[in-house]
């Protein structure tokens, strides 16, 4: 078993026993990023609409690499704000296709601009759980601009 797989398994078991498990260390996350075959990333997407996230629930599997495309199809700017989720993933980079790639180890929140703005996040979820994601601007969350990210 590769060490990154052991790490994922340890966090998955830990979270089941205790919901307040501290997030994986930066060194652990860096190890997962380095050992992951990013050519095998699964593409998933969330559209940010003025009335809600689509789909309202995103299902992921711990230990697998993902490319998450977040596109704003609404008339207002929106955030995807999910601090617990972002803390629990090994982040490789954020990418605006054909324009920029930003290599980073930790995302706090993501704002995507109205009417077609888009960004791809490359990451491996490390902890199983149900993570709330929402837009904190104005009353957007109350208007439904929120969703759930479920990692199994
Ligand atoms: Cu919003």
């Amino acid at each position: 078993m590769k060490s990154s797989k052991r790490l994922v398994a340890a966090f998955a078991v830990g979270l089941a026993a205790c919901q307040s498990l501290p997030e994986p260390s930066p060194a652990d996350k860096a190890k997962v990023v380095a050992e992951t075959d990013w050519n095998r990333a699964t593409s998933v997407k969330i559209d940010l609409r003025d009335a809600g996230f689509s789909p309202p629930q995103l299902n992921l599997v711990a230990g697998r690499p993902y490319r998450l495309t977040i596109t704003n199809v609404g008339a207002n700017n929106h955030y995807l704000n999910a601090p617990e989720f972002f803390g629990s993933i090994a982040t490789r980079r954020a990418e605006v296709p054909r324009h920029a790639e930003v290599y980073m180890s930790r995302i706090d929140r993501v704002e995507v601009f109205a009417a077609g703005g888009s960004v791809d996040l490359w990451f491996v979820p490390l902890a199983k759980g149900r993570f709330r994601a929402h837009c904190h601007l104005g009353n957007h969350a109350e208007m439904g601009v929120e969703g759930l990210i479920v990692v199994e």
Side-chain angles (χ1 to χ4, degrees):
M1 185 188 268
K2 281 173 63 177
S3 58
S4 61
K5 290 242 170 43
R6 269 199 302 276
L7 184 68
V8 168
F11 274 101
V13 169
L15 197 72
C18 171
Q19 285 295 325
S20 60
L21 187 77
E23 69 176 72
S25 74
D28 286 344
K29 291 179 178 181
K31 189 171 175 60
V32 170
V33 168
E35 293 180 353
T36 293
D37 178 0
W38 293 99
N39 291 319
R40 301 186 61 175
T42 299
S43 290
V44 292
K45 57 183 294 186
I46 293 177
D47 285 347
L48 308 179
R49 298 178 298 127
D50 293 328
F53 289 179
S54 178
Q57 180 175 322
L58 181 67
N59 297 300
L60 305 174
V61 176
R64 289 199 193 154
Y66 288 96
R67 172 188 189 164
L68 168 62
T69 300
I70 305 169
T71 303
N72 187 340
V73 298
N76 300 298
N77 294 345
H78 292 297
Y79 278 83
L80 194 148
N81 193 345
E84 283 127 17
F85 174 72
F86 286 136
S88 74
I89 64 177
T91 302
R92 183 188 187 210
R93 71 180 191 221
E95 175 182 355
V96 179
R98 298 183 308 282
H99 291 283
E101 295 174 337
V102 180
Y103 286 80
M104 63 178 78
S105 57
R106 179 70 153 81
I107 297 167
D108 285 330
R109 57 191 172 276
V110 176
E111 182 176 18
V112 186
F113 298 134
S118 190
V119 64
D120 293 351
L121 307 182
W122 295 75
F123 63 88
V124 176
L126 296 179
K128 295 183 181 183
R130 299 167 66 82
F131 303 93
R132 178 173 183 250
H134 73 288
C135 177
H136 62 274
L137 291 178
N139 63 343
H140 292 188
E142 290 71 27
M143 298 291 286
V145 188
E146 61 179 348
L148 196 61
I149 301 172
V150 177
V151 181
E152 294 173 319

